[in-house]
């Protein structure tokens, strides 16, 4: 054994060891990453909030569509059941107000609607007729401009709840929330609040029952005026224009609160009937007013029992003169106004974001299914091509090769790694490059006394520098690179180097397997390695655009590595960087599925996050570094023409947006159709299971691990999404990490089969 560089002196007893260069760099990197992790989580939280808000605007979680009918009304005062359509509670006593004779109060429910409400407003403006619109808060927040125009035109607005639920089934807290949120929407849209209220599914006062009465009492105590109807056009039934006009017409000479709908469905018959109705009623000598106008007119005909409060007199004067706000409207001020504007702004963001994400979901869905189809078809072709009878690369490669083992604090694993190489069936020299280890890794390697093992020491400089140092010390034309925690099978090196019989081959990717798969995290990674990595490699190999030689097992022509300048530390993914560089230099990169290496996967979520973050961010760096490959010409430009687009699509774009599938699944379960959404998710899972099962068959793996796949999709995959988002944030904000050391246990030994 030789030691080209001197062994560093051990630290003096009693003195704290100074941190190595790598440890200092890792500490600085960790400090820089915390804000980026936080930013990634905040982005995810913002997306979740936007989706929840959009869903809530359409129907509250677990949308309640119950409508109560046929309940008794023993607790409701009789004069309320037989009274007029306007219910107030002056002094805490229930009082009803009728619409004056020869007067029509036109009321419209369920709006605003972007299609029908503007047309209703146009008709009212044409005939100089005011209307009273009972608005659904979720619709107000989505269409604030319509409400603003409605109020500026002189119409009156009232609360029709936020999500259009039957309040008789709801808790007091839910009722309060429905009202307050609608008021906030009105404040944000038109700068007002209102004292008018109409309950969904209400009609005449004689329909009030014992369940709904407490709601009206409570709202009356808060100053609300509840508005019912005398005459219902039933336009929602779409019975025909003549029927709508007929049903909306009161008895001759009687005043009426009349119900139409400007939203909630197809309203073309309403739009056609409304002008005919207005003309008919005007021809009969009727006048049109708002709810507040009807109350003021009725009040003016009654003798004054006591002096009115100054505020009431001012409101009545404003109503009668037609100036200022309607009596039922109040200017929103303070927190209500600003909270309302914030609500409208948030809804505007949701209204833009969700459709955009929906479009992205279509693209992602097509890309994901296309990738599955490509993997299945091309992987099958690759397997048949590589394993057909008499297939070979050329004359067998039997000459010795150099195996480079970069090591940094690998005392738990280095012995198993070196002994597995020593048992190999192919002649090798083994170069252990100790990258400034402080745990005695180099001493362990030397003490084993294995033939053909050399230990090269260097100051801590990172994995790329260690690999380059190993290449410089290599004696043979073919170099195998592996990790210090990886174990080879006896025939691994022999299988790995056979493709070099083809002089155009510059590098060979081996088949990396998870050795510590008995834990839950290990089993999840095992599925990912077999399906996500090795199935992909078969596809890329057949397309001749392999993007990455795995660091755990790869072989290179020494000439090719030196030609492209060796391992670069420009990116975190030095293996991807080198592989792309070899493509661009004109070398062919292939996959040898029979060359298997067993590696120790991260055993904790924290270590897994660190590893995958480095991989994903490093891949982005490598793709950006080699972006000019898109314009490369000739055979060396194949990666840029084929590989680069596929890698960007399948390893960056699709994974970044793949969470949309899960997000929209949850969204649909909560707000649309739980059963249909669950079936769709299970269908996608079924396709993935089929792909995984085929990958396991090709790799001759046991199918029992596929039982972990549903849980992997629910938990493990979500973490991978966060890692990728973290990487994208780092890429956008700038950042750099050095070679990160993961904690190893050394539990991966000589494999005893693939089970």
């Amino acid at each position: 054994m030789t030691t080209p560089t001197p062994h560093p002196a051990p630290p003096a007893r009693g003195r704290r060891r100074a941190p190595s260069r790598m440890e200092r760099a890792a500490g600085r990197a960790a400090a820089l990453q915390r804000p980026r992790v936080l930013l990634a989580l905040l982005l995810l939280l913002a997306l979740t909030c936007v989706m929840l808000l959009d869903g809530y605007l359409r129907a509250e979680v677990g949308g309640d569509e119950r409508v109560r009918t046929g309940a008794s009304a023993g607790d409701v005062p009789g004069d309320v059941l037989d009274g007029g359509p306007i219910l107030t509670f002056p002094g805490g006593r229930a009082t009803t107000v009728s619409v004056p004779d020869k007067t029509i109060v036109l009321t419209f429910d369920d709006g605003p609607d972007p299609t029908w409400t503007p047309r209703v407003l146009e008709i009212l403006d044409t005939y100089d007729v005011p209307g009273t619109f009972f608005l659904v808060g979720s619709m107000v927040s989505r269409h604030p401009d319509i409400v603003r125009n409605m109020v500026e035109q002189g119409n009156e607005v009232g609360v029709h709840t936020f999500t259009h639920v039957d309040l008789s089934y709801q808790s007091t807290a839910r009722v309060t929330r429905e009202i307050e949120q609608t008021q906030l929407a009105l404040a944000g849209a038109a700068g007002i609040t209102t004292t008018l209220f109409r309950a969904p599914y209400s009609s005449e006062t004689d329909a009030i029952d014992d369940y709904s009465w407490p709601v009206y009492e409570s709202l009356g105590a808060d100053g609300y005026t509840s508005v019912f109807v005398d005459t219902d056009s039933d336009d929602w039934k779409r019975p025909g224009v003549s029927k709508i006009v007929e049903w909306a017409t009161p008895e001759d000479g009687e005043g009426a609160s009349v119900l139409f709908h400007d939203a909630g469905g197809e309203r073309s018959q309403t739009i056609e009937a409304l002008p005919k109705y207005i003309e008919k009623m005007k021809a009969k000598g009727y006048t049109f007013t708002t709810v507040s106008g009807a109350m003021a007119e009725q009040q003016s005909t009654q003798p004054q029992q006591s002096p009115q409060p100054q505020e009431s007199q001012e409101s009545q004067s404003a109503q009668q003169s037609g100036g200022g706000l309607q009596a039922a409207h109040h200017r929103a001020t303070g927190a209500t106004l600003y909270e309302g504007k914030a609500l409208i702004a948030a809804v505007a963001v949701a209204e833009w974001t969700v459709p955009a994400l929906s479009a992205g979901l279509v693209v992602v869905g097509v890309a994901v299914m296309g990738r599955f189809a490509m993997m299945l078809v091309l992987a099958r072709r690759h397997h048949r091509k590589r394993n057909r009878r008499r297939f070979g690369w050329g004359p067998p490669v039997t000459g010795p090769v150099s195996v480079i083992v970069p090591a940094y604090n690998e005392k738990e694993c280095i012995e198993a790694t070196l002994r597995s190489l020593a048992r190999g069936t192919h002649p090798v020299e083994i170069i252990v490059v100790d990258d400034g280890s402080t745990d005695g890794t180099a001493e362990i390697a030397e003490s084993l006394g294995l033939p053909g093992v050399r230990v090269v020491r260097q100051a801590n400089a990172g994995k790329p520098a260690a690999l380059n140092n190993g290449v410089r010390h290599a004696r043979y034309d073919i170099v195998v690179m592996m990790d210090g925690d990886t174990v080879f099978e006896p025939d691994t090196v022999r299988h790995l180097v056979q493709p070099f019989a083809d002089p155009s081959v510059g590098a060979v990717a081996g088949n990396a397997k998870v050795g510590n798969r008995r834990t839950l995290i290990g089993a999840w990674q095992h599925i990912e390695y077999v399906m996500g990595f090795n199935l992909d490699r078969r596809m890329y190999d057949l397309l001749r655009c392999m993007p990455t030689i795995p660091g755990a097992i790869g072989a290179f022509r020494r000439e090719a590595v030196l030609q492209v300048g060796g391992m670069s530390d420009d990116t975190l993914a030095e293996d991807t960087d080198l592989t792309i560089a070899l493509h661009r230099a004109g070398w062919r990169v292939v996959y040898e599925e029979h060359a298997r290496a067993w590696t120790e996967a991260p055993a904790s979520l924290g270590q897994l996050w660190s590893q995958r973050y480095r991989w994903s961010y490093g891949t982005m760096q490598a793709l950006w570094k080699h972006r000019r490959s898109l314009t490369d010409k000739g055979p060396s430009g194949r990666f840029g023409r084929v590989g680069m687009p596929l890698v960007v699509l399948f390893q960056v774009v699709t994974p970044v947006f793949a969470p949309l599938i899960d997000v929209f699944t949850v969204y649909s379960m909560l707000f649309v159709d739980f059963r249909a959404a669950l079936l769709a998710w299970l269908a996608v899972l079924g396709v993935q299971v089929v792909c995984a099962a085929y990958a396991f068959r090709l790799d001759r793996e046991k199918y029992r691990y596929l039982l972990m796949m549903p849980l992997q999709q629910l938990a493990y995959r979500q973490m991978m999404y966060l890692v990728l988002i973290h990487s994208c944030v780092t890429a956008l904000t700038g950042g750099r990490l050095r070679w990160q050391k993961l904690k190893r246990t050394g539990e991966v030994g000589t494999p005893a089969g693939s089970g």
Side-chain angles (χ1 to χ4, degrees), residues 462-481:
K463 186 176 182 180
L467 290 172
N468 287 333
N469 198 2
V471 171
R472 287 192 294 270
H473 284 79
R475 295 172 179 158
Y476 302 111
D477 294 333
I478 297 175
V479 293
V480 174
M481 298 182 185

Side-chain angles (χ1 to χ4, degrees), residues 208-224:
I208 301 175
D209 57 39
D210 292 340
Y211 294 97
S212 59
W213 178 243
V215 176
Y216 294 115
E217 284 187 306
S218 176
L219 291 174
D222 291 336
Y224 284 93

Side-chain angles (χ1 to χ4, degrees), residues 104-116:
I104 295 294
V105 175
L106 277 179
T107 67
F108 300 87
D109 280 7
D110 299 345
D113 181 273
T115 300
W116 307 112

Side-chain angles (χ1 to χ4, degrees), residues 105-158:
V105 175
L106 277 179
T107 67
F108 300 87
D109 280 7
D110 299 345
D113 181 273
T115 300
W116 307 112
T117 303
R119 298 178 67 177
V120 169
L121 292 175
E122 183 180 357
I123 294 171
L124 297 182
D125 186 55
T126 299
Y127 287 92
D128 194 24
V129 169
T132 301
F133 292 80
F134 290 92
L135 306 176
V136 177
S138 60
M139 300 293 287
V140 173
S141 61
R142 293 166 62 190
H143 309 291
D145 292 343
I146 298 176
V147 178
R148 190 177 305 114
N149 294 336
M150 182 185 295
V151 173
E152 291 175 353
Q153 187 176 305
N155 300 289
E156 203 163 52
V157 299

Side-chain angles (χ1 to χ4, degrees), residues 502-522:
D502 183 343
S504 68
V505 173
V508 181
N511 188 345
K513 316 287 287 182
V514 174
N516 53 331
R517 60 180 70 173
R518 299 189 184 279
T519 65
L520 183 62
I521 297 177

